[in-house]
């Protein structure tokens, strides 16, 4: 019986290995997902176990004020999952998707960290207060704020100023993301009805649009950073967030490798990558 049981166990292990291999080579076209094709695909969760760092590893760190949806954005991108329950991030979490863009494969390390009160001004402060977070040696940053609470933008504004003062930010892509797009114009008191409530809603929307316009102008024209709005709850433009970031990284890689004579594109102009580019997650 033991001999037959061992044979059966080996066959099951072999089957699991084949399934794992098939999953690892799966490539999901992000353009297709953006057009709403995700409903017809079954996607397994990539490994979140720590993997050894390498020179080719793209290290992306998400930063933002409490409850702006940093973790939700990552989980939607990696797992296509969203939780209504808010659980503050209390420790570092890392994710390791493989992304293909413009026929170039990147191994990406996405780091989700607890809210930090300040960006470390040097390696000593990072070691003392944010050990193993990898804040100062990140390849790129995603700064997230809540579109329905513009005050959360002031947090990433102060954080970016500290980043610029404390490390060389040349050739370090920064993408600003406005999350919770689904909550815009929804915070209208329910005590009124009819035309009065409609007027209040329209007024709130106008005020919100003006504030967002000022933020977009600051981020794109003055900071020269990328900007994307999304909703992690409904998975609106979450793929676009990482596609935009990888476009920025790929453009820098292309230029630094001497593969083209064209200058690096202004990521802030146009609001996104070109239509002809292709991006996929493996």
């Amino acid at each position: 019986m033991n001999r037959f049981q061992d044979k059966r166990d080996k066959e099951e292990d072999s089957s699991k290995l084949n399934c794992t291999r098939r999953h690892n080579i799966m490539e999901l076209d992000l353009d297709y997902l953006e057009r709403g094709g995700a409903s017809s695909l079954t996607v397994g969760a990539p490994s979140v176990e720590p993997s050894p760092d390498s020179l080719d590893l793209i290290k992306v760190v998400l930063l933002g004020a409490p409850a702006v949806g940093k973790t939700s954005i990552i989980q939607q991108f990696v797992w296509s999952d969203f939780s209504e329950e808010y659980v503050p991030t209390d420790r570092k979490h890392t994710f390791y998707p493989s992304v293909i863009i413009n026929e170039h494969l990147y191994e990406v390390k996405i780091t989700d960290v607890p809210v930090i009160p300040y960006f470390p001004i040097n390696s000593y402060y990072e070691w003392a207060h944010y050990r193993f977070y990898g804040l100062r040696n990140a390849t790129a940053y995603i700064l997230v704020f809540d579109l329905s609470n513009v005050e959360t933008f002031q947090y990433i504004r102060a954080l970016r100023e500290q980043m610029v003062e404390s490390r060389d930010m040349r050739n370090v892509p920064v993408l600003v993301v406005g999350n919770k797009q689904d909550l815009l114009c929804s915070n209208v008191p329910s005590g009124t009805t009819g035309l009065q409530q409609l007027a209040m809603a329209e007024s709130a929307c106008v005020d919100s649009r003006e504030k967002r316009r000022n933020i977009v102008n600051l981020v794109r024209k003055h900071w020269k950073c990328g900007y994307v709005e999304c909703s992690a709850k409904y998975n609106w433009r979450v793929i676009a967030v990482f596609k935009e970031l990888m476009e920025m990284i790929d453009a820098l890689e292309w230029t630094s490798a001497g593969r083209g004579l064209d200058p690096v594109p202004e990521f802030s102009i146009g609001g996104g990558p070109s239509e002809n580019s292709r991006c996929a997650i493996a």
Side-chain angles (χ1 to χ4, degrees), residues 186-203:
S186 63
N187 299 323
V188 179
S190 57
T192 57
T193 59
L195 294 177
Q196 188 177 13
Q197 187 172 0
L198 178 61
M200 293 179 64
E202 290 178 348
S203 176

Side-chain angles (χ1 to χ4, degrees), residues 3-277:
R3 184 174 60 189
F4 290 115
Q5 184 64 39
D6 291 342
K7 182 178 180 181
R8 186 180 298 110
D9 291 342
K10 290 180 180 179
E11 291 175 349
E12 291 178 356
D13 291 340
S14 177
S15 176
K16 291 179 180 178
L17 179 60
N18 290 335
C19 289
T20 302
R21 286 174 176 168
R22 285 196 298 270
H23 170 68
N24 287 338
I25 64 174
M26 180 185 296
E27 297 178 2
L28 302 182
D29 188 338
L30 296 193
D31 291 320
Y32 176 72
L33 293 178
E34 281 189 294
R35 293 194 298 268
S39 60
S40 63
L41 296 176
T42 302
V43 184
S47 170
V48 294
E49 294 298 322
S51 68
D53 288 349
S54 68
L55 294 177
D56 296 329
L57 197 64
I58 302 299
K59 304 170 186 177
V60 179
V61 177
L62 273 79
L63 300 172
V68 296
K70 301 181 295 294
T71 302
S72 296
I73 290 174
I74 297 174
Q75 291 181 348
Q76 276 287 21
F77 177 64
V78 177
W79 293 331
S80 297
D81 180 61
F82 177 81
S83 175
E84 293 282 355
E85 180 183 4
Y86 171 62
V87 179
T89 302
D90 59 356
R91 63 184 180 87
K92 182 185 77 171
H93 298 273
T94 52
F95 305 78
Y96 295 89
S98 298
V99 175
I100 300 173
I101 184 168
N102 299 330
E103 300 182 356
H104 190 180
L105 173 65
Y106 292 96
E107 299 294 336
V108 183
K109 175 183 179 181
I110 302 175
T111 302
D112 182 21
V113 300
V115 175
I116 59 174
Y118 70 94
F119 191 85
I121 60 175
N122 54 40
S123 299
Y124 169 78
Y125 279 94
E126 180 174 36
W127 178 258
H129 301 125
Y130 309 118
R131 193 176 305 176
F132 308 124
Y133 280 14
L135 296 177
R136 292 181 55 81
N137 66 346
T139 309
Y141 299 92
I142 297 179
L143 306 181
V144 184
F145 74 101
D146 182 349
L147 285 167
S148 66
N149 181 7
V150 182
E151 294 301 319
T152 58
F153 178 78
Q154 301 306 321
Y155 173 88
I156 63 172
R157 184 175 188 171
L159 207 61
R160 178 193 167 274
E161 292 177 356
Q162 296 167 10
M163 292 163 61
V164 171
E165 294 174 357
S166 64
R167 69 163 291 188
D168 185 0
M169 293 298 293
R170 289 175 297 180
N171 297 331
V172 179
V174 176
L175 178 65
V176 176
V177 175
N179 187 32
K180 304 189 181 182
Q181 193 178 30
D182 54 290
L183 294 183
L184 290 178
C185 306
S186 63
N187 299 323
V188 179
S190 57
T192 57
T193 59
L195 294 177
Q196 188 177 13
Q197 187 172 0
L198 178 61
M200 293 179 64
E202 290 178 348
S203 176
C205 285
V206 170
D207 184 59
S208 174
R209 282 196 296 269
E210 183 63 27
K211 290 180 179 179
R212 289 162 60 201
R213 189 180 298 111
N214 292 336
I215 289 175
V216 173
N217 182 68
L218 173 65
V219 171
R220 289 181 172 168
K221 293 186 178 181
H222 298 279
W223 293 3
K224 302 298 182 183
C225 296
Y227 180 84
V228 177
E229 293 183 355
C230 71
S231 168
K233 181 176 182 179
Y234 294 105
N235 205 7
W236 294 338
R237 293 183 56 77
V238 172
I239 297 296
V241 169
F242 291 91
K243 183 176 180 181
E244 171 89 358
L245 184 70
M246 293 310 301
E247 280 284 347
M248 298 163 70
I249 293 172
D250 188 66
L252 288 173
E253 290 286 327
W254 184 273
T255 302
S256 63
R259 291 178 286 177
L261 299 177
D262 294 334
V264 178
E266 293 261 352
F267 304 118
S268 58
I269 299 176
S274 64
E275 294 295 333
N276 295 329
S277 63

